[in-house]
Amino acid sequence: MREKIKKQLLHNLLLEVSKRYDYIMEQNARIFEETNYKAIHDELTGLYNRFYFIEQLKKALYLAQRHQRYGAVLFIDLDNFKVINDTTGHKAGDALLKMIAKKLKNALREEDVLARFGGDEFVVLVEDLGEDEGQAVKLVRGVVDKLLSSIAYGHIVDQKVYQVTASIGIALFHHGEIEIDDILRYADSAMYEAKRKGKSQAVFFNPMIEERLQRRLLMETSIRQGIDEGEFFLVYQPQIKNGRIIGAEALVRWNNAERGVIPPSEFIAFAEESRLIIVLGEWILQEACKTLKRWEKDPILKNIKLSVNCSAIEVMESDFEQKLMRILTRYGIGRGKLCLEITESLLMSHHASLADVIHRLSEFGLKIALDDFGTGYSSLAYLKSFPINILKIDRSFIEDIYLDRSDQTLVQAIVSVAEDFGMQVVAEGVENKEQEQAIRAIADHIVVQGFLYGKPLPLEAFETAVKERSAEYGKEGDA
Ligand code: C2E
Ligand code: CA
Ligand code: CA
């Protein structure tokens, strides 16, 4: 009897132990699965992450080489996501990303690998595209068409409809030796090419893109070096009112060790693409403030106002204001001395997120000038919602003003509406007496800037010019 009870007890105990063991094993398996899932998935969309994608790409490259079959990597970047995200908030942005992830997934075959690398950047790996290049290209085009049309319809988030387009860069791979990093870079640069070509389209990588890419990388490196080695400097172009110099526009130049002085048209775009403009722009602002500080000690120069050009990328940086305030405080720049030139197209494309920034800058005593006015198709009434102090009429309207009646009418209208709104007007790019006369006939008091009055000059030469003109036209600043 005793033996029987003992046996039973032992049996129960063993059962208990094994149940616990099973439980623990189950727990372990679950934890393992969860960590495993997290390790290879993107948390927001549930798509694969970069880590998993690269593992799969490694395998794919190996297999493509072995079986001599084509495959492709597609970089997908949403064209207008940043604006949507900035204007509607991150929650709506996240919801939209999830929705798009789902649509992209549905447009692909089960065996294609779709990953999100972060932000609005999706990447696709497509294998088994056959042994013939033409065939592979055709097949990829089919995939791309499906992807683009899957997201072409409006997406509804919080009862609002969002229209989204994407730019796609494609890099094919085959048997040749190719590095993972290279193929990703190719797809990425083809994607940039698609953006450059006007967005909402797909571009195949080709060696010409590679060449441009190489040039861009080289440029980036030398811009970075140039900043470190103090190769950039500012020149100052006079702004004239009633004959006197009342201000200057600071324009950046690059004195490169090998190539000599390089104009901004050859490097600003590169600096923007690589975001180096953020560092360069900070240096420019600092240099401009240094100059204003230097002028403060001079009875004539202290009346000169200085304008600085700001790029979209710079102004959109979240700490732009803090940086600017720090510089202004450091050099003790008084209210109304420094003017920021922002292009009309920048204002149009980022108006929602820029409005607050511009209002705060203006409250802090900075002047705001709208650069290249007339090229961005905005209405003056619309611009009234921004605290804009100065309107710079683009050179293209000044060029033929003495010949073209419609340019005269246009400039006349701009001046009268701008002045109604309390904005000062600057006519840019005045090169000859005929243009000057035509402008004077419309409004003799507006500010003019152009080669007729002076090319952009190095600091000291500009200072001399101010003093000479001041002797000629009388001292009192009036602006
Ligand atoms: P922008 O802001 O419209 O600057 C005026 C440009 O027109 C300057 O060219 C100036 O030299 C030129 N200009 C002035 N008067 C005349 C004229 O009578 N006739 C002609 N044909 N041109 C005239 P620059 O210095 O080569 O600058 C070109 C552009 O590069 C600027 O256009 C601006 O968008 C950008 N840029 C220049 N400096 C900076 C800078 O410091 N920061 C940033 N972000 N952009 C800059
Ligand atoms: Ca400008
Ligand atoms: Ca301009």
Side-chain angles (χ1 to χ4, degrees):
M1 187 67 189
R2 239 181 108 76
E3 274 309 299
K4 215 174 158 193
I5 293 174
K6 255 168 100 180
K7 237 180 181 170
Q8 184 63 43
L9 203 64
L10 195 65
H11 176 79
N12 287 352
L13 271 173
L14 280 174
L15 207 68
E16 184 63 20
V17 169
S18 96
K19 258 199 233 154
R20 282 200 193 170
Y21 178 77
D22 284 351
Y23 175 74
I24 289 169
M25 287 312 280
E26 242 169 60
Q27 281 292 83
N28 277 351
R30 230 192 47 231
I31 292 170
F32 181 72
E33 229 167 70
E34 259 173 31
T35 28
N36 224 8
Y37 181 88
K38 277 191 185 153
I40 63 171
H41 286 87
D42 164 46
E43 208 174 324
L44 177 70
T45 59
L47 298 181
Y48 290 116
N49 61 14
R50 179 190 278 267
F51 170 77
Y52 182 79
F53 186 89
I54 292 192
E55 288 307 306
Q56 294 310 109
L57 181 56
K58 271 185 209 158
K59 283 186 207 155
L61 287 179
Y62 173 74
L63 288 174
Q65 192 160 7
R66 227 185 130 99
H67 303 302
Q68 308 264 304
R69 293 174 77 78
Y70 276 92
V73 170
L74 279 58
F75 257 59
I76 309 171
D77 193 281
L78 304 182
D79 293 327
N80 38 5
F81 181 71
K82 194 172 159 32
V83 180
I84 295 177
N85 207 31
D86 284 352
T87 48
T88 58
H90 290 270
K91 239 172 95 186
D94 283 355
L96 191 61
L97 283 177
K98 278 193 204 167
M99 216 171 268
I100 285 168
K102 217 176 194 172
K103 294 199 177 166
L104 292 175
K105 180 130 193 66
N106 288 339
L108 292 165
R109 300 175 305 179
E110 192 60 43
E111 60 267 35
D112 301 329
V113 182
L114 172 63
R116 187 173 81 117
F117 274 19
D120 57 345
E121 208 177 69
F122 299 90
V123 189
V124 183
L125 169 64
V126 190
E127 290 178 80
D128 285 331
L129 295 171
E131 290 161 27
D132 173 68
E133 183 171 342
Q135 178 71 7
V137 167
K138 219 162 122 190
L139 287 170
V140 174
R141 279 202 196 286
V143 176
V144 163
D145 286 345
K146 270 202 229 156
L147 288 170
L148 286 176
S149 52
S150 76
I151 58 165
Y153 302 99
H155 308 271
I156 302 172
V157 177
D158 284 344
Q159 291 159 354
K160 270 194 217 139
V161 184
Y162 295 99
Q163 222 66 48
V164 178
T165 59
S167 299
I168 303 185
I170 307 157
L172 287 179
F173 54 83
H174 190 213
H175 48 79
E177 292 274 313
I178 185 156
E179 300 289 328
I180 299 267
D181 282 349
D182 285 338
I183 190 142
L184 292 176
R185 196 161 51 86
Y186 291 170
D188 190 37
S189 59
M191 187 273 291
Y192 270 102
E193 188 68 10
K195 294 240 183 228
R196 212 181 57 86
K197 281 184 153 177
K199 304 181 176 173
S200 190
Q201 57 186 297
V203 167
F204 278 88
F205 175 80
N206 71 38
M208 261 172 36
I209 299 181
E210 172 69 353
E211 204 187 296
R212 209 177 0 250
L213 187 75
Q214 286 304 333
R215 251 188 309 164
R216 200 174 78 190
L217 286 176
L218 196 74
M219 193 66 167
E220 272 178 39
T221 324
S222 48
I223 292 178
R224 195 168 307 211
Q225 262 172 17
I227 296 175
D228 288 345
E229 291 176 12
E231 291 181 352
F232 289 91
F233 65 100
L234 293 183
V235 287
Y236 300 81
Q237 185 173 36
Q239 297 178 322
I240 313 281
K241 186 175 179 179
N242 300 329
R244 269 196 303 273
I245 299 178
I246 57 136
E249 176 175 1
L251 295 153
V252 70
R253 297 289 180 265
W254 179 14
N255 191 6
N256 182 258
E258 281 157 34
R259 295 170 52 198
V261 177
I262 307 172
S265 56
E266 283 176 37
F267 63 84
I268 291 284
F270 285 100
E272 285 177 341
E273 262 175 50
S274 57
R275 303 185 70 79
L276 281 170
I277 192 74
I278 294 169
V279 192
L280 184 59
E282 192 178 347
W283 178 85
I284 292 169
L285 282 167
Q286 195 159 311
E287 196 65 13
C289 287
K290 231 191 241 173
T291 297
L292 277 172
K293 183 88 199 151
R294 166 181 160 115
W295 289 347
E296 237 170 42
K297 298 181 207 100
D298 186 284
I300 298 166
L301 293 168
K302 72 172 193 222
N303 298 314
I304 305 290
K305 302 198 172 77
L306 192 54
S307 287
V308 174
N309 293 284
C310 290
S311 284
I313 313 236
E314 256 182 288
V315 184
M316 298 296 293
E317 266 292 284
S318 56
D319 62 347
F320 176 72
E321 279 168 77
Q322 282 133 291
K323 261 193 232 162
L324 187 56
M325 299 307 162
R326 241 196 343 258
I327 299 174
L328 289 175
T329 322
R330 180 159 155 216
Y331 290 95
I333 303 304
R335 295 177 73 84
K337 283 283 179 203
L338 185 68
C339 172
L340 301 185
E341 293 196 5
I342 294 170
T343 59
E344 187 187 7
S345 46
L346 163 63
L347 204 60
M348 293 296 287
S349 54
H350 302 280
H351 52 95
S353 32
L354 266 182
D356 287 347
V357 180
I358 293 184
H359 272 101
R360 281 194 296 270
L361 293 176
S362 169
E363 275 161 24
F364 205 78
L366 282 151
K367 294 259 182 258
I368 308 293
L370 196 63
D371 205 358
D372 304 344
F373 180 74
T375 57
Y377 307 105
S378 51
S379 77
L380 274 170
Y382 165 77
L383 295 174
K384 197 173 182 298
S385 55
F386 296 98
I388 291 164
N389 310 95
I390 298 160
L391 205 71
K392 299 189 79 174
I393 304 178
D394 190 66
R395 193 168 77 218
S396 55
F397 298 96
I398 306 299
E399 205 170 357
D400 293 332
I401 195 165
Y402 60 102
L403 302 167
D404 190 335
R405 229 8 248 138
S406 64
D407 280 352
Q408 287 163 25
T409 317
L410 205 85
V411 170
Q412 197 155 25
I414 295 174
V415 173
S416 102
V417 180
E419 288 182 344
D420 267 356
F421 290 164
M423 300 173 191
Q424 194 180 53
V425 177
V426 177
E428 280 195 289
V430 183
E431 292 180 346
N432 56 47
K433 287 273 173 213
E434 291 82 356
Q435 290 165 338
E436 178 178 60
Q437 258 166 14
I439 293 166
R440 296 248 170 277
I442 293 166
D444 60 358
H445 55 280
I446 67 170
V447 179
V448 283
Q449 180 184 345
F451 294 166
L452 179 64
Y453 313 98
K455 293 214 163 165
L457 297 167
L459 183 58
E460 269 123 41
F462 173 78
E463 291 172 347
T464 312
V466 174
K467 289 181 179 163
E468 279 171 10
R469 259 196 188 255
S470 140
E472 207 173 313
Y473 286 91
K475 263 185 207 160
E476 330 74 77
D478 127 66

